[in-house]
């Protein structure tokens, strides 16, 4: 009971922290960091579904034992991490990659050992391991869904640990990470919707300014400059933390 209460309090605290973050890139970083902490995982990745719904783009990558940190506050993910195809070139579903299947089916996938698993293609993982003298073993892959139950991203954790040894993700750990992922999905969806509203507002301002410019060529340049300057001022005010 005490352990359950502690986990519940931890999830509540994480949810509050995630809801306060306004920067999507930093939010994704916090989601992965908190998921790694709560599951005691060595590594992990956060993917986002691309606009065409055909690929998963790497956004945050962390591997503690290799000191790998990309995305979020650590700068962009290198271009060498190519997006994962959800759909193949011929339009068929990519049922060989675990992250792709997670996105396609919207379900959690728990793998005890990537090297003995025969259902998914882990050749890329094995190549990474060989290159960096690493051993990827246990995997937990969880979908991130928006308010319409559509998968918008995937959270993948690697190598849960206990007493210094790599273990599989237990049912208790899966439940905890799924609960965290649900909170993370809400926070992420909110920020994506806010960003969409901002883009819509900016597009509307641009449309109005272009209409005014066509109506009066004399004041047209002025009409274009005013909204640009207005948005610059608004961005500065919004970024001011004082």
């Amino acid at each position: 009971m005490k352990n359950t209460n502690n986990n519940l309090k931890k999830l509540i605290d994480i949810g509050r922290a995630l809801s306060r973050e306004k920067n999507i890139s930093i939010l994704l970083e916090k989601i992965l960091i908190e998921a790694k902490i709560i599951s005691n995982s060595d590594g992990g990745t956060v993917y986002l579904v691309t606009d065409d719904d055909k690929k998963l783009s790497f956004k945050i990558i962390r591997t503690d034992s290799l000191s790998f940190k990309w995305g979020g506050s650590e700068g962009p993910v290198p271009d060498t991490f190519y997006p994962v195809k959800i759909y193949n070139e011929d339009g068929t579903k990519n049922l060989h990659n675990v992250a792709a299947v997670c996105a396609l089916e919207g379900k959690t996938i728990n793998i005890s050992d990537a090297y003995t698993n025969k259902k998914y293609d882990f050749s890329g993982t094995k190549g990474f391991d060989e290159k960096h003298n690493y051993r990827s073993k246990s995997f937990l892959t969880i979908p991130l869904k928006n308010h319409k139950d559509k998968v918008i991203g995937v959270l993948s954790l690697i190598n849960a640990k206990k007493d210094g040894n790599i273990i599989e993700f237990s049912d208790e750990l899966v439940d905890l990470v799924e609960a965290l992922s649900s909170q993370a999905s809400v926070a992420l969806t909110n920020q994506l919707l806010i960003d969409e509203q901002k883009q819509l507002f900016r597009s509307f301002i641009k449309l109005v300014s272009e209409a005014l410019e066509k109506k009066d060529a004399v004041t047209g340049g002025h009409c274009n400059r005013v909204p640009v300057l207005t948005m610059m001022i608004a961005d500065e005010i919004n970024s001011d933390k004082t």
Side-chain angles (χ1 to χ4, degrees):
M1 179 66 70
K2 183 179 179 181
N3 189 44
T4 300
N5 289 336
N6 288 337
N7 288 334
L8 180 59
K9 182 180 183 303
K10 187 180 296 184
L11 287 172
I12 292 173
D13 291 340
I14 291 171
R16 288 173 177 170
L18 294 179
S19 65
R20 289 194 293 266
E21 182 54 58
K22 306 304 179 185
N23 183 298
I24 289 181
S25 184
I26 301 301
L27 174 60
L28 294 174
E29 181 179 34
K30 287 184 176 181
I31 289 171
L32 180 56
I33 289 174
E34 295 297 347
K36 284 175 70 284
I37 291 173
I38 205 170
S39 62
N40 196 30
S41 303
D42 183 52
T45 302
V46 174
Y47 308 85
L48 284 187
V49 177
T50 55
D51 292 338
D52 59 5
D53 293 333
K54 293 182 178 180
K55 297 177 181 178
L56 289 170
S57 177
F58 287 86
K59 293 300 180 182
I60 311 291
I61 300 173
R62 296 287 184 275
T63 306
D64 295 343
S65 60
L66 295 177
S67 299
F68 285 171
K69 296 181 180 181
W70 293 299
S73 61
E74 301 295 336
V77 175
D79 294 336
T80 50
F81 288 90
Y82 300 109
V84 175
K85 294 180 181 178
I86 300 176
Y87 291 93
N88 299 312
E89 300 297 336
D90 59 1
T92 59
K93 296 179 179 179
N94 179 7
L95 299 178
H96 300 292
N97 183 280
V98 63
V101 173
C102 178
L104 284 166
E105 300 183 358
K107 68 177 185 180
T108 297
I109 301 174
N110 188 4
I111 296 173
S112 58
D113 192 336
Y115 279 70
T116 59
N117 183 274
K118 303 300 181 182
K119 185 174 182 180
Y120 302 104
D121 180 10
F122 284 100
S123 57
T125 297
K126 294 174 183 178
F128 174 91
D129 288 355
E130 183 177 358
K131 181 179 180 180
H132 299 284
N133 193 28
Y134 191 69
R135 175 63 164 87
S136 302
K137 188 175 182 181
S138 55
F139 277 75
L140 181 61
T141 311
I142 298 178
L144 302 175
K145 301 180 180 180
N146 65 11
H147 59 295
K148 296 181 179 180
D149 204 37
K150 177 183 177 182
V151 176
I152 57 176
V154 170
L155 168 64
S156 179
L157 298 173
I158 304 173
N159 288 355
K161 289 186 174 183
K162 184 177 181 180
D163 300 326
N165 298 314
I166 298 174
I167 61 171
E168 64 180 298
F169 289 88
S170 65
D171 292 341
E172 181 182 4
L173 284 180
V174 173
D175 289 342
L176 278 173
V177 179
E178 284 185 330
L180 185 152
S181 298
S182 295
Q183 292 180 318
S185 296
V186 172
L188 177 58
T189 298
N190 288 340
Q191 290 309 310
L192 289 173
L193 288 174
I194 289 173
D195 275 13
E196 288 177 1
Q197 289 177 340
K198 288 180 179 178
Q199 184 59 42
L200 178 62
F201 179 60
R202 288 173 176 171
S203 297
F204 175 73
I205 292 175
K206 183 180 179 182
L207 178 64
V208 171
S209 66
E210 289 177 349
L212 289 173
E213 181 179 13
K214 291 181 180 179
K215 182 178 180 180
D216 190 341
V218 176
T219 61
H222 173 73
C223 293
N224 277 327
R225 289 189 294 272
V226 168
V228 172
L229 291 171
T230 301
M231 292 310 303
M232 290 173 63
I233 294 171
D235 287 340
E236 286 300 318
I237 293 173
N238 190 52
S239 63
D240 188 2
K241 303 301 180 181
T242 58

